[in-house]
Amino acid sequence: MAANKSARYGMVIDLDRCTGCGACMVACAIENNVPPANAKATERTGITWMRVHRLGNGRPFPDSRAVFFPILCQQCGHHTPCVAVCPQNAVEVDAATGIVDQMPQRCLGCRYCMAACPYHARYFNWWDPAWPAGMEKTLNPDVAPRMRGVVEKCNLCHGRLHRAESKAAAEGRRDIAANDYVPACVEACPAKAITFGDLADDQTEVAQLARSEGAFRLLEKLGTESKVYYRSERPWVHQAVKSGIGKEPQRG
Amino acid sequence: MGLGRRDLLKLVGGGAAGFFLTPVPWRLIDGVAIRTESWPGVPDPPRGEVRTRYTTCTLCPAACGVRARCVVDQPVSLAGVASHPASAGVLCPAGLCGHHLPLLPNRLRQALARKGDNFQPVGIDAVAGAVATALADMRQNGSAERVAVLDARPGRTASLMYRRWLRAAPNGTYLLAPSAEATAPMGIDIARTGTVLSFGAPVLDGWGTPGRVLEARKTFRLIQVETRQSRTALLADGWLPIRPGTEAALALGIANVLIEEKLYDAAAARNASDFAAYAALAAQFPPQRAAQLTGIPAQTIIAAAHDFVGHGPAIAIAASDPGGGPLGEDEQIAIAALNVLSGSIGREGGFLPRGEASRPAGFEEAALAPEQGIAEVPDASIRVLIIDDARAAGTWCWSAIERKLAATHIVVAMTEFLEGAAQHADFAVPAPAYLEAGEDAPAPPDVPAAMFSLAGALLKPPPEAVDGAAFLNQVAGGGPALADVLKQRVAAIHASRRGEVFHYADASRTAVRDVKSAADLWKALEEGGCWIDHQPTPHEKPLFAILGDAPDRVLEAASGRLPADAQFPLALVPYGWRGAAGGAISPIMTKLYQESDLRPGGDTIELHPDTARKYGVADGHVAIVQTRCGSCQRRVRVDESVMPGVIQAEVGPSASGNCRPEALLNACGVAGDGTWRLARASLRRA
Amino acid sequence: MDRSYIARGLERCTTRRFLMWLLPWTLLLAFGLYAAGLCLFKGLNQTNMDNRFAFGLWIFLDLTVIALGAGAFFTGFLVYILRMHELKAVINSAVVIGLVCYSGAVTVLMVDVGQPLRAWFTFWHPNVHSMLTEVTFCITCYLTVLAIEYLPLLLKNRRLRQVPSFLVFEFELHRVMYVLAGVGTFLSFFHQGSLGGLYGVLRGRPFAFREALGVWPSTFFLFVLSAAAVGPSFVLLTTWLVEKITGHQLVERTVMQKLGRLSGVLLIVYVLLKTIDTLVWMNRTVPGEGFSPQQFYGFEPFGVWILFAEIVVFGLLPAVVLLDARRRASQAWLLTAAGFACFGVALNRFVMTIQTLALPTLPFDRFLSYWPSWQEVGTFLAVVAYGVLVYSLSYRYLILFPQERDLKAR
Amino acid sequence: MFPWVNGFKWDAGHVIFLGAFYTVVMIVLATVVRALVRSRHHVRVEKVEAFRWKQDFHDLPARDRRCRHELNGEVDSRLCENGFDCRSCAKHPEFVQAAAARADLPKGELFGFPMPLDRLYHRGHTWVRKEKDGTLSVGLDELGARLIGKPERLDLPELGQHLNANATAWSAARNGATIRVLAPIEGTVLATGGPDQGWYLKLRPDGPQPDTRHLLRDGEAVRWMSRELDRLQLLATHGACPALADGGALVEDLGAALPKNEWAAVCGEMLLEP
């Protein structure tokens, strides 16, 4: 995969392997300096770039089944909903990587992009980012914390991409090595449910998985060409995804 | 003159206008835009040299390898160690943010002594003094009361030191935590297992060594027997939603099928001295009866039995759930017996006897106090109780321990936080936190091969903090330091010339016999490595009794733990998740239970819609759960996946923070053997 | 005592009574400013908005208020461009209403964004493809225009016009008013439209997304039309309200009916196009995005009734009434119809903003509920109070209704 | 925003959008600046009073802007467009010719309301009298005098100041209101009098033969005055005041008779101040 030849980084998440442990969410928060919840925060005001949802089959005990659905920015590749709406170009699609990048330093917090995102993958800083006293020491030096009142979201661990790029540069390589750039959630997943890589390169495992039987994307018909694929062998999961909205979730 | 002034004004005005036509002011504004990034409330991450250091996780018995990314000396993120022989490059959520624990604001930084209901600062020597005088007093009038160490993390070198110290102490008693996983007598050769029949063990959600288990998941079939639709149940190949407290009945039901249909391993059965008695017991539980008791259709039971032995090697496990507590001893017997039938004991893909890293001289079993369960100690018999790592004891029922204490007693808690059992202690002694203690990690409970890894300290502990060994030395007035004993042990391992060293940094392995000196081995382990013995080879299967002395107790257990009770019609099923069920956790964990609904949280109960309707509560209501032993208040979540007539209650952190697990655990009541898995309960809206 | 500030020949209540009237509104304003202050200094966590309900009460009311404020540009357009002189009777009042609505809306928007200090970024790094950019540019420009249009009214104050330069400036401004009216119309057309586009472009919100006509979604034009349609109605209602409160007749009845008729004509066109749009949306847009329209109306309380209410009860009905000269002649019918028309457009804005966000888009989504916090309500009340105060002061000291004196003389 | 600011692209979108934006800004700016410049100019050349009258006249209700020839019965209905300055009116001479035939001898009073015909009347209730010495005296007519009565303060122009027709000649303050009185004709102030002298100003006309075509005379003046009395009565009765209570004789001092606000309004109406 290459940073200069235009790559299309994406991932395939195997829903049949995801145990819903939440390691990805924790690893993501640590990697990207996402602050702990304010005491008043709820599951609707928190910040979870990576968030694992639970989708039930809507049938009662003992036939009820559920699957865990990790949702992160789907990195839409075609009329990316959030990019077009941002009034001050705070969202950009990086041509080299295909990553949809949010620039918090330019965001004024109008939240239009959040209304635009059908995957609810964007999060607003409702509070000042606060770590318990002394815990600022544990912040990742590669990522700047965001201020109150701006929107943020998953950028496939930009810090790690830069690290990989500078490493490649230091070693005089033009392309970054596949295993040098792995987002925190992918690295952390105990079940190895997430496969990450360059979708543009047919040789990569991720590209093949994305084309494999049982792979699908959310809201495919919107034509957003998202670069996050899911796969499951379970027919009811495909059913539930096709039938779209309209089912109350089992939890919450 | 006036004219002059006008000209001047014109000049200034024109100049100003002209200035605004140049890029300069706009450039300035652009700069200002960037400046707005610096905002009072936003902390600035510390910069500095970035290093990678290695250690071993001691937050749970899994002892996963840890790769720490440090800025200078401060870890900023933790990750697994790729291809680690046990953890296979995996850390659990709790492990991923373990580096936050030493920095938590509620960290205990000096010794405290109880005064009435609250604590006051006190010197550690004063604590040691108090213990010493108590011991002296006991020695003097040779009382029958005991000195006990309750070890939340048995199997460490420090545990050995406790046991040796207790041997010398009056009626020294070494107690295992009620739900200690680490003490399993046999490891599991999971990589080669064909079928796992799990009775409520959170196989895929923090059981044994997660990395190892999840890696093997591709190859074994999983049948989950559990009341709750746990994460494991969701991903299992088969889920048997069982009526609470009837696990033994199902085990015997399955045994019945296997014996009736001659599907069991006759050879293995021959090694059991009391197989006939066992068969007779099983005969009392034909599928229909088992079905009645467990609520699982007879056909399903029969199918499960076939499934179980269909793809060998097949193991049946009944490990504990950190919140739900272990199954009762008798259930465990009934379940373990299935392994006799499947012949999985002592064979590849089944249970293999666990090896142990060589011990230094002076730590032979004979020189140590025996390991005992709390149940084995008579009530009101403990005069001095020292609890090691009380934080990990966050999910013990204090009532189980309390009843063992003598009328006059001293309870000393070695702990990093005033959490869990420590809240009940007379003295709380600050202990080094995770990443601060230079200690060893016990071999993972499910790994058959002996393992030994150092959990090297990445951080300096607070000046006041002392580890358990040092404290006991202070009490006894002298003794070896933990570090020295560790060195001795490494030397012993080196001397044994067995096994190999796995280096975290480059995933390479070196045979111990190729390691020049004990010092080199120590260095290798301290820089990040673990010693692992060869896989133990299957050996001659010894004679043993399945039911031991407890056939009628097993029968009783199998007839159902929860007799119907008009006053308390519901079954209360507590459960927890490893790493968060205990006391203090990283604030980042709020992502899991507060900022998302991934984990219900320790302030909720889950009910089936019908149950909720029946008791007049709805989603979001606050309800009071009442049992014979106590009650607790929790928010209701209605969930169709819950078994009707069951209250699921999570033991863990909660967004509201006002809910401590004790309230629930004590409400659960404690069985004689110190387990608290189930209770009869009633429900009403608060 | 402030006699000398009040134009000669206008009857106004005593200063004391006037102050008594101002008092409660001032208190309300103070309270609202406190609420807004909380949101500004403590952050938007003071509101009940959240990541899923990213927009709430404020955006809904902004859209509504701006739609109602459209009377300013539309009346201006009719008077200065189409030369409908009889509407001169309400133009001044319309300008004040417009000023109040727009300045109020912009203020609330300032509180609504997370980083008001960076509001100017939109001008600095404009993304010309964003509807919000269009809105921001147009509204700020138009607010300036409104301020300039308000100036002559102010300068015409009996005291101020004693100052020679004011007098002359007012005279000169008045002569170029048609230019400003033209610019205002241009700007209003675009921002009313882009306000509609705001939600129409949201491909990710199938409930709001509409097919594009040229570079704009159909909602762009529907919003322009509906705004123009209710503008006169709202002017009509306010005029009537002021008459009721002050007890003076302010404009000829014929003017009111004229306004009503204008509303009716535009409204009927709007209802027609809205119906077509809805049909296209149901049969083409929604299925194309992999949903079925029923799915959106399956969640109580937002059933199909809301669609019916919006188009028929509060659209077609008032339009028909306003177009019927006999009904129009009756004050009761006229005002009720105008009221319905305004409510209908408010309902439309509500559906576009609140209902859109409440609806789930993913299989594991829930239908969300949202209730504004007191800080949100307070902030909006501040705008209401501010509006009432500005209008009251203008009514007392400026000449909002040129016909008033003559009607009194009769 | 600008080519040198980060994010700007020379694509159609930017060019069109920002182009339109700058155009709008320019137009608005230009309009305002123009208005400012022009007004500044006018202030400098003292056209203020002219503008004031222009506006006042524009703001007068239609019924107060009737053409003198309508009052005179020469035409059914005609509105004045020249601010009552017939000298700049194209139609005026035609009317005069047409009326020339009709000659009548009115008497110098109207239901006991003195109306000396030795002077010319202005519609702002002032009169002009040519004196022997060629100067012009200016005063309030009987109606005006009774309206204003004894002012508490009187702001008379300085000597030597030049007045234009329809500019503010002087203003009188009473009952907390100021009433401005229009100059009937242009000229330079030679002397100032007051209510007691019977005249207010003595003016030197601009030319040897001052043009007084715009002023009312003889019968025309009488007819106008009678209409003015009707108007006053209308206003007064509207305010329910004792103006003509005793069978038509106008009270001596309306300023005292009417309630303050009422009085101010009536003065405004009668003295052509909107």
Side-chain angles (χ1 to χ4, degrees), chain B residues 121-477:
Chain B
V122 62
I124 289 180
D125 41 6
V127 183
V131 175
T133 40
L135 295 185
D137 175 42
M138 290 166 71
R139 282 209 184 76
Q140 218 158 41
N141 44 40
S143 83
E145 294 176 328
R146 299 163 175 258
V147 182
V149 172
L150 177 49
D151 191 353
R153 288 160 42 208
R156 298 166 296 165
T157 304
S159 312
L160 296 177
M161 296 174 72
Y162 293 147
R163 291 171 65 187
R164 191 167 72 169
W165 184 88
L166 286 165
R167 185 66 176 225
N171 308 329
T173 312
Y174 177 77
L175 295 174
L176 295 174
S179 57
E181 294 175 55
T183 54
M186 294 191 132
I188 301 169
D189 182 15
I190 194 86
R192 285 181 284 183
T193 307
T195 305
V196 175
L197 174 60
S198 146
F199 288 77
V203 178
L204 305 179
D205 193 22
W207 170 77
T209 320
R212 188 165 161 273
V213 176
L214 289 167
E215 201 174 38
R217 176 69 182 95
K218 293 187 215 77
T219 56
F220 67 78
R221 299 174 41 75
L222 175 60
I223 306 166
Q224 183 73 358
V225 178
E226 193 171 11
T227 304
R228 209 164 56 85
Q229 191 183 53
S230 64
R231 291 169 152 62
T232 306
L234 279 174
L235 290 168
D237 302 290
W239 170 42
L240 307 185
I242 188 172
R243 196 171 288 152
T246 62
E247 287 85 354
L250 181 65
L252 289 172
I254 291 173
N256 177 289
V257 176
L258 296 178
I259 294 168
E260 289 298 312
E261 303 185 13
K262 302 263 179 302
L263 293 173
Y264 64 96
D265 179 335
R270 253 176 259 112
N271 294 341
S273 57
D274 60 350
F275 185 76
Y278 171 62
L281 180 59
Q284 300 180 35
F285 290 87
Q288 289 69 17
R289 181 168 180 217
Q292 275 170 10
L293 289 161
T294 59
I296 301 168
Q299 280 319 308
T300 319
I301 295 176
I302 296 166
H306 295 166
D307 239 6
F308 176 53
V309 289
H311 319 72
I315 60 169
I317 53 172
S320 67
D321 163 332
L327 279 170
E329 216 173 286
D330 314 322
E331 282 87 350
Q332 305 218 24
I333 291 171
I335 293 161
L338 291 174
N339 292 306
V340 177
L341 297 178
S342 69
S344 61
I345 296 173
R347 87 173 240 208
E348 296 92 346
F351 290 89
L352 296 176
R354 292 176 68 196
E356 192 200 3
S358 333
R359 301 179 182 178
F363 288 92
E364 301 74 17
E365 204 58 30
L368 309 177
E371 292 181 338
Q372 285 180 292
I374 289 183
E376 300 166 49
V377 177
D379 292 359
S381 65
I382 298 177
R383 168 80 179 273
V384 177
L385 177 64
I386 297 165
I387 304 174
D388 181 32
D389 200 357
R391 180 188 63 84
T395 58
W396 299 349
C397 294
W398 179 245
S399 52
I401 298 156
E402 196 171 26
R403 74 168 75 131
K404 304 296 178 187
L405 296 175
T408 58
H409 59 260
I410 303 178
V411 177
V412 180
M414 318 285 308
T415 184
E416 314 103 276
F417 305 98
L418 206 53
E419 297 280 350
Q423 293 159 328
H424 306 284
D426 304 297
F427 298 100
V429 177
Y434 173 49
L435 299 180
E436 284 176 349
E439 57 181 352
D440 60 330
D446 59 333
V447 180
M451 281 183 72
F452 180 85
S453 38
L454 286 177
L458 303 185
L459 294 166
K460 285 208 173 0
E464 285 266 302
V466 291
D467 61 56
F471 178 72
L472 293 189
N473 290 342
Q474 200 165 348
V475 172

Side-chain angles (χ1 to χ4, degrees), chain A residues 11-15 50-51 68-74 119 209-210 212-218 226-232 237-238 241, chain C residues 364:
Chain A
M11 53 175 68
V12 178
I13 301 177
D14 188 336
L15 300 178
M50 166 64 109
R51 174 166 175 185
F68 293 100
F69 239 111
I71 292 290
L72 63 163
C73 171
Q74 306 281 303
Y119 305 100
L209 273 176
S212 68
E213 181 67 14
F216 63 90
R217 289 180 291 188
L218 286 170
S226 58
K227 292 195 276 297
V228 176
Y229 290 75
Y230 297 86
R231 65 187 309 282
S232 170
V237 175
H238 291 264
V241 170
Chain C
F364 40 78

Side-chain angles (χ1 to χ4, degrees), chain D residues 83-176:
Chain D
F84 294 146
D85 193 341
C86 314
R87 293 173 294 188
S88 57
C89 176
K91 301 279 292 174
H92 179 66
E94 302 171 21
F95 282 114
V96 174
Q97 281 193 348
R102 199 165 148 218
D104 51 356
L105 307 170
K107 49 184 175 33
E109 72 82 69
L110 201 63
F111 348 93
F113 186 80
M115 183 91 196
L117 296 179
D118 61 344
R119 53 195 73 174
L120 309 169
Y121 290 88
H122 181 266
R123 294 189 59 171
H125 290 281
T126 48
W127 52 256
V128 180
R129 191 175 56 219
K130 290 191 184 148
E131 304 298 347
K132 315 270 175 302
D133 57 6
T135 62
L136 304 167
S137 344
V138 174
L140 274 174
D141 67 16
E142 189 62 21
L143 181 58
R146 295 195 190 191
L147 263 173
I148 296 175
K150 279 239 169 299
E152 292 145 9
R153 210 182 71 258
L154 201 60
D155 294 335
L156 294 161
E158 287 109 41
L159 303 185
Q161 182 184 337
H162 182 270
L163 292 175
N164 280 325
N166 293 327
T168 306
W170 70 86
S171 56
R174 191 176 175 190
N175 299 340

Side-chain angles (χ1 to χ4, degrees), chain C residues 1-32:
Chain C
M1 75 209 234
D2 55 354
R3 253 301 121 220
S4 55
Y5 291 85
I6 299 171
R8 180 177 275 122
L10 295 185
E11 266 182 31
R12 293 290 182 262
C13 62
T14 62
T15 316
R16 199 158 170 297
R17 256 191 91 202
F18 185 61
L19 290 176
M20 293 308 290
W21 157 262
L22 291 189
L23 183 64
W25 296 107
T26 320
L27 294 178
L28 191 59
L29 179 65
F31 163 74

Side-chain angles (χ1 to χ4, degrees), chain A residues 59-140:
Chain A
R59 302 179 56 195
F61 178 93
D63 305 327
S64 66
R65 293 291 180 275
V67 62
F68 293 100
F69 239 111
I71 292 290
L72 63 163
C73 171
Q74 306 281 303
Q75 307 294 344
C76 304
H78 186 230
H79 35 214
T80 313
C82 50
V83 171
V85 298
C86 177
Q88 62 278 318
N89 288 315
V91 193
E92 283 177 354
V93 180
D94 179 355
T97 58
I99 295 173
V100 180
D101 199 3
Q102 173 81 15
M103 290 181 275
Q105 69 277 14
R106 191 182 285 181
C107 172
L108 60 77
C110 69
R111 305 188 298 292
Y112 190 17
C113 53
M114 300 175 74
C117 177
Y119 305 100
H120 321 308
R122 308 185 131 264
Y123 298 86
F124 184 72
N125 284 269
W126 298 97
W127 286 271
D128 276 314
W131 282 261
M135 213 174 273
E136 300 87 352
K137 284 207 294 262
T138 65
L139 292 183
N140 177 359

